Amino acid sequence: VAGGFSWPVRVYWEDTDGGGIVYHASYLRFLERSRTEWLRSLGCSQTALAADPGVVFAVTRLLIDYRRPARLDDALSVVCAAAAVGAASLSFEQRILREAPSGGEELLVTATVKVACVNARTLKPQRIPETLAAVLSSKNL
Amino acid sequence: VAGGFSWPVRVYWEDTDGGGIVYHASYLRFLERSRTEWLRSLGCSQTALAADPGVVFAVTRLLIDYRRPARLDDALSVVCAAAAVGAASLSFEQRILREAPSGGEELLVTATVKVACVNARTLKPQRIPETLAAVLSSKNL
Amino acid sequence: VAGGFSWPVRVYWEDTDGGGIVYHASYLRFLERSRTEWLRSLGCSQTALAADPGVVFAVTRLLIDYRRPARLDDALSVVCAAAAVGAASLSFEQRILREAPSGGEELLVTATVKVACVNARTLKPQRIPETLAAVLSSKNL
Amino acid sequence: VAGGFSWPVRVYWEDTDGGGIVYHASYLRFLERSRTEWLRSLGCSQTALAADPGVVFAVTRLLIDYRRPARLDDALSVVCAAAAVGAASLSFEQRILREAPSGGEELLVTATVKVACVNARTLKPQRIPETLAAVLSSKNL
């Protein structure tokens, strides 16, 4: 899983907590924004999928390691790489990085996220829609 | 609008921001919890109303004054008083109080909130369901 | 208050609620992002101000009108115009717009927000820092 | 880790997302409320610890399995059991349960959470304060 899609996220007051750093649950929102934008970059609209064929993606398992804290005003990069594609699920390896003043990048967070494709109404597992599966396959995913 | 329904809310890390106080949008969540519990205390389940007759309440206007900040671990009381009942709307006068160490109560927040009864699917205005209207009327609201 | 600074905001799952639309408190986060970026566009870093001279901005009053709901995947513009500048406070007129499929813009939300400049530690009112006051003055604000 | 401390959590609109179920990051807030209340039940105030000796607890690793979705109005039990106590860290096994209409309980979420005791200012690892360590030890933790 070298490289991968990256999405910029700015840290605002809403993301911080009274400890003066980003609240630990806020990173899950950042991770999902990157997954959403990765899907969008593949031409996949979740709103369209929810309407037809009526599927959404639901997180089923998440492992997250907090290595260094992010702070107000930080400019982050949230990396999203599809690590495995099943018939009805996707796994992602994700990282959150901060541009260091020195010019390099600091690794703040790593996460492994598994999402299931489910029926939007019943939440029962559903095959990944053909159109998306074809795009993933064309990228050797 | 003397008295009114009151609901206890404890302040957790999730509610605070990097300034060390409760984030200004968090109070809107506290205010809604109190309105929800007020409705529940009248025997009104929003889940049931959303299923049949298919209505939900949507905030249409909110005025909030922040007088003193709440902090981590504070035990708050969120007061909810119905101020006006229309055919398809409700107005509330709400207050958020903190028990002072001295024994009295400190006023932290005041708010006026107007909610509309709308169709859960189309979001078009809808009359307040008969059962709820009857309860409100029996309380001279 | 014609025109004003505008900041793009995309709607993600995190912003929506079970009614299928954006949760009413989420708009307060959007409004603050725009105010923050407006300050940044004036060369004003809130992190720097919090360190020296040790001031932050706290919302003291907010009036918000919800006209039309935003939905998942919507691309919004959050407008921020300084309406009044006091010695220790700022008032903003803000609007949230959505690009309509037809090409025009739909007005979703209007808000008036008053923020106070306060000491980061004591939260007592404090004069707006000279450097920021000078920038605001140079823009006839 | 049989039994363990349990804290009730009600699901409100703020916790749900456009999929009609609880947003996946909201469960992290529920888990933390239970850990906070477990600490409080041991006579441990995080506000007091942050002031003297100046330590806070920061999540360093979290593994969460989402088994069944929670929904609006659900009454949940959030279980918190200390699984391991280190010199400067604590590990928890947590579960989120829903009372089933049938009377039994449904398991919705399981999580393993590791938190570090850190200096409130520098965020460097710090020994768990004596008073708390003594309480944990007296409970064979």
Side-chain angles (χ1 to χ4, degrees), chain D residues 53 55 87-88 117 125-130:
Chain D
V55 299
C117 183
Q126 205 91 3
R127 292 187 75 84
I128 293 174
E130 277 305 316

Side-chain angles (χ1 to χ4, degrees), chain C residues 14-30:
Chain C
E14 65 186 81
D15 306 310
T16 60
D17 71 18
I21 55 177
V22 169
Y23 183 61
H24 74 293
S26 298
Y27 297 99
L28 271 67
R29 302 194 282 112
F30 300 168

